[in-house]
Structure formats: C-alpha cells, structure tokens
DNA sequence: TTAACCATGTAAACCGTTACATGATTCG
DNA sequence: CGAATCATGTAACGGTTTACATGGTTAA
C-alpha cells in the first residue's frame, strides 16, 4: 500500500458524502417550486413529472442531507388544527449552482430496459397464446399512457396561449414531452408489430395442424 | 458431497426467498446456453444481450441461490494450468418452468428514465452553449449504438441465411432488435430536434443582442 | 512492469423498499 | 366504521456496488 492520496480533499470537512441521483431529482423539483416533503411525494404522482415514484421514507432523510450540505433551506409553515408543521424547502444559491453543474456535466450511456422487455428475451419458450395476450395487454397500457401524455401536453399548450406562466419553462417542458411521447409511440409500435408476427405465425401453425 | 436437497422440501421450508429480477436474467441467459459465472459476465458485455452489466460479485451468490432452489445444476469443467475449475450451469426442468411462467406473467408499467433525460428536466437553468454541447455528445453516443445494433443485426441475418442455427430463436431475437433500434432512433431524433430548437434560439438571442 | 485475461469468491458500505409509529379530519 | 388525506419521521430488511483476496499466463 503506497500512496495515500491526500490532495483533492484539501479543505477540512468539505462534503463528507457525495450527491446521489435522488438528491438531484429533489433539487430539480425544488428549483422550479419550493415544496415540503409531502408536496414532493404528491407532485411525483403527476403525469408530467418524469421521475419515478419516490417513497417519503427516502425523501425526508434526503432533504435533511441536502440541508446539511447547504444546498436547500426551509421555513416552517404552521398548519391548521393539530397537523404537524410543514417544512417548505427551497434551493440556496449553492443548491442552484450544484444542480446547474450537474445538468451541464457529460452523461455516459447506460441503458436499462423495462421488465416486459426482459421477459421478451425468454419469449421463445413461452406459450404463444399467452404471449399474445401479454403483448395486447402491454400495448393497451402504453396506449393509455400515450393518450394521457398527449392530453396533458394539449392542456399545457392552452395554458401557454392564455399566458399564465413564464413561456421559457414551458417551452423546455415540451421538450420533455416530445421525448416521452416518442418513447411511448415506439413501444406501442413495437408491441403491434410483434403481435402481427405472432398472430401470423399462429395461423400458419393452425393450417399446418390441419394438413397433418 | 452429493446434494441433499430433499425433493422441494414439500411444504415445510418451501422457498424462503422469492425470485429476484437478477435471477430471472440469469435463467434467461442459461436457458439459451449453459455457462459459468465468468461466462455470464463476459456474455453480458456483448451488444445483443439486453440486460445491463451485472458484476460477478452478484452473480456467484445468485447462482448458488438458484441451485439451492433447484432451478439450475452445474457440472465442473477442469481448466488447464492452475486456474480454478469452471462450474458450468444449466437449467433444470423446474428452472425452465419457472422462467416460462415468469415470462408469461403480466407486467405492470413502471417507467424509469435515463440519467440524461433527468438532467434535461433542469435544462432551463443551464448555460445554453454547454447544453448544446451535451446534446451533441449524446446524439453521437446514440448514433454509435444504433450503428452497432444495425451491424449486429445484419451479421445475424447473414447467419440465418447460412442456416447455422435454429431459425426460431433467431426470429425471436430480431424482435428484440426491432425494439432497441427503435429506441435508439427515437432518442437520436429527439436529441436532434432539441438541438435544432436550441441553435435556433441561440441565433435569435445573438440578433437581439445586436439590436440592443 | 504494468495491465488484461481467466476464474472464483467474501465483506462492508450503500441505496431503496416495506413495515412501524402518530393523530386529527373528511368522505363513502 | 373503515379508508383516504395531510404531515412527518425511524427501523429493519434486502439488493447492488465497491473493496478485498488469490494466482498463474500473456501481450504492450
């Protein structure tokens, strides 16, 4: 064991723990609008927030960690009745800088596929009938999601015409919608083309059955 | 040490731990071809295996767990020189059944986005110049991946024409390629459309700058 | 001589999910 | 009367990553 590699940590305490993806997601949302932990959870359920579901049990410790790092601060909002007070978090200047630097940094391509695609890898040993069923099911689900996205996008564009918020943020958002809509379209088209193939093969097999 | 494995352990112990996605990935690969843990790791680096990278430290315990469940068995292949013996794993009948049942089961839609897309969510506070750089970079990476997929697909189709392996498995594989190629095409198209938008806006801003 | 290849594993640290905990209010 | 909503958290568990461990061969 040779070099101890001091360097790099130069300043005493600095940041003990590096940032996680989760923390950047939270920063990303808080940068647009100050919110409490609970608000973040409900916000994540909206169809136009592109981060998956995150449970509150992860969010509260993460917010505390961001605060320790000086990237967010909160002020307490008292609630009516006996409810616990709300802690509304917002970014500090350091937080905004950290988020911008992260967004501006290069990203390597690491691909992860969805579970249905993984199953498709072992499709060849499945029962054809049941597989057709599953692909129909999947096509249905993606179609619904696509319809939802298109609907939200439409109502969002109406809001732009009404001039209710800053056009800048909205324009950027449409960029995100472009992607997810394209994604769903591709998935749907794939399901349909596989269905076509499977059903064609089914008919071939049944005819072969008659001949034999 | 002959294996003890008391016939599924009837009711008493049954399966302590449920199957993980990782274990199904391994089953999926082993169903196509018997392999050792090391082989699995190298196989995962091939561009036509659609599971992400899996480290060997996960694979070895997972294989042991699959064996305890009676879904795989192995035979030892001695290596030349001092190298440790290879354990070549293959599916048992129970393993094949478990994999088929998993592949045939319904899959809920749970969406997860890639890291670059997450960054795009906070694009609005990034420096436009640097963002253009990153989108170019990303477009490049996806273009390369697309070219790779198309190349592999082509050489695979040549292999079919030469009749080297069962057509059935190959046909199913092309189904997977259809998807990943579509995916990359969509991503690339998205990057390019965003680039167009960003560059257009850049020129507008520089003209405004001249006027002011 | 350093790195990469072959081949297997264990141990600790880290991240995410599930279960537990509280407690008033409102809707079906 | 049970379930959902608001609002915050801790503790245990399980899956993943990174570091540690071994050890001979081959190519840059």
């Amino acid at each position: 064991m040779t070099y101890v590699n001091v360097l790099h940590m130069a300043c005493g305490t600095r940041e003990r723990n590096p940032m996680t993806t989760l923390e950047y997601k939270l920063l990303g949302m808080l940068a647009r609008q100050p919110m409490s932990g609970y608000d973040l959870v409900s916000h994540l359920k909206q169809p136009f927030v592109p981060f998956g579901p995150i449970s509150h049990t992860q969010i509260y410790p993460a917010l505390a960690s961001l605060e320790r790092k000086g990237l967010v601060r909160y002020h307490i909002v008292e609630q009516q009745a006996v409810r616990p007070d709300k802690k509304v978090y917002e970014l500090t200047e350091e937080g905004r800088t950290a988020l911008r630097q992260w967004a501006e940094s290069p990203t390597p391509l690491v691909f992860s596929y969805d579970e249905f695609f993984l199953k498709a890898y072992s499709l060849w040993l499945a029962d054809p009938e049941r597989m057709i069923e599953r692909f129909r099911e999947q096509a249905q689900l993606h179609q619904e999601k696509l319809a939802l996205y298109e609907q939200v996008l439409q109502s969002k564009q109406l809001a732009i015409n009404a001039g209710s918020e800053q056009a800048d943020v909205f324009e950027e958002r449409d960029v995100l919608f472009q992607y997810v809509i394209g994604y769903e379209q591709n998935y749907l088209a794939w399901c349909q083309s596989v269905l076509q193939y499977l059903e064609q093969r089914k008919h071939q097999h049944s005819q072969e059955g008659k001949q034999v």
Side-chain angles (χ1 to χ4, degrees), chain A residues 6 12 62 92 97 107 110 115-116 130 154 160 174 180 187 189 196:
Chain A
V6 187
T92 60
T97 306
T107 313
V110 178
E115 199 183 330
F116 185 72
R130 217 162 296 177
Q154 211 165 27
I160 292 171
D174 284 358
V180 293
Y187 213 113
Q196 210 178 350

Side-chain angles (χ1 to χ4, degrees), chain A residues 127-130 132-133 136 194-209:
Chain A
D127 172 54
E129 272 307 314
R130 217 162 296 177
I132 287 176
E133 226 177 283
R136 282 225 186 89
V194 174
L195 276 170
Q196 210 178 350
Y197 164 70
L198 288 173
E199 269 161 11
Q200 193 189 313
R201 214 178 54 162
K202 186 175 91 174
H203 293 138
Q204 278 175 11
H205 283 211
S206 65
Q207 285 195 339
E208 280 172 28

Side-chain angles (χ1 to χ4, degrees), chain A residues 17-143:
Chain A
N17 27 12
M19 296 287 287
T20 63
T21 306
L22 171 67
E23 290 179 326
Y24 283 118
K25 287 184 185 179
L26 298 182
L27 286 184
M29 283 185 283
L30 294 174
R32 295 180 173 216
Q33 197 186 335
M35 276 183 281
S36 71
Y38 190 88
D39 294 337
L40 284 165
V41 176
S42 17
H43 199 236
L44 282 160
K45 289 173 188 161
Q46 304 282 109
F48 45 84
V49 178
F51 315 137
I54 306 174
S55 81
H56 69 279
T57 57
Q58 250 194 306
I59 284 180
Y60 293 116
L63 286 171
S65 160
L66 285 172
E67 206 224 331
R68 261 180 272 123
K69 286 172 186 153
L71 304 179
V72 298
R73 75 172 87 83
Y74 68 86
H75 62 102
I76 286 170
V77 176
E78 285 175 33
Q79 297 299 99
Q80 61 270 63
V82 198
R83 285 180 192 162
D85 293 341
K86 235 183 183 183
K87 293 184 184 174
V88 175
Y89 288 85
E90 60 190 337
L91 293 211
T92 60
E93 262 319 301
E94 290 88 353
R96 184 161 276 104
T97 306
L99 179 59
R100 204 192 58 238
Q101 284 177 350
W102 174 72
E104 284 173 351
S105 67
T107 313
L109 222 65
V110 178
F111 204 118
S112 102
Y113 301 88
D114 74 287
E115 199 183 330
F116 185 72
F117 184 71
L118 294 187
K119 290 181 179 179
Y121 187 77
S122 299
L123 187 153
W124 58 278
L125 46 74
D127 172 54
E129 272 307 314
R130 217 162 296 177
M131 221 51 219
I132 287 176
E133 226 177 283
R134 296 299 159 233
F135 266 95
R136 282 225 186 89
E137 199 174 86
Q138 212 65 18
Q140 176 71 24
L141 289 168
H142 283 283
Q143 188 132 51

Side-chain angles (χ1 to χ4, degrees), chain A residues 153 156 168-182:
Chain A
L153 179 61
K156 219 161 58 59
D168 201 50
V169 177
F170 273 114
E171 278 170 4
E172 306 289 16
R173 271 203 190 170
D174 284 358
V175 162
L176 301 181
F177 269 87
Q178 264 179 49
Y179 175 71
V180 293
I181 286 174

Side-chain angles (χ1 to χ4, degrees), chain A residues 150-163:
Chain A
E150 277 168 347
Q151 186 200 313
V152 175
L153 179 61
Q154 211 165 27
S155 64
K156 219 161 58 59
Q157 279 168 345
L158 285 175
I160 292 171
N161 293 344

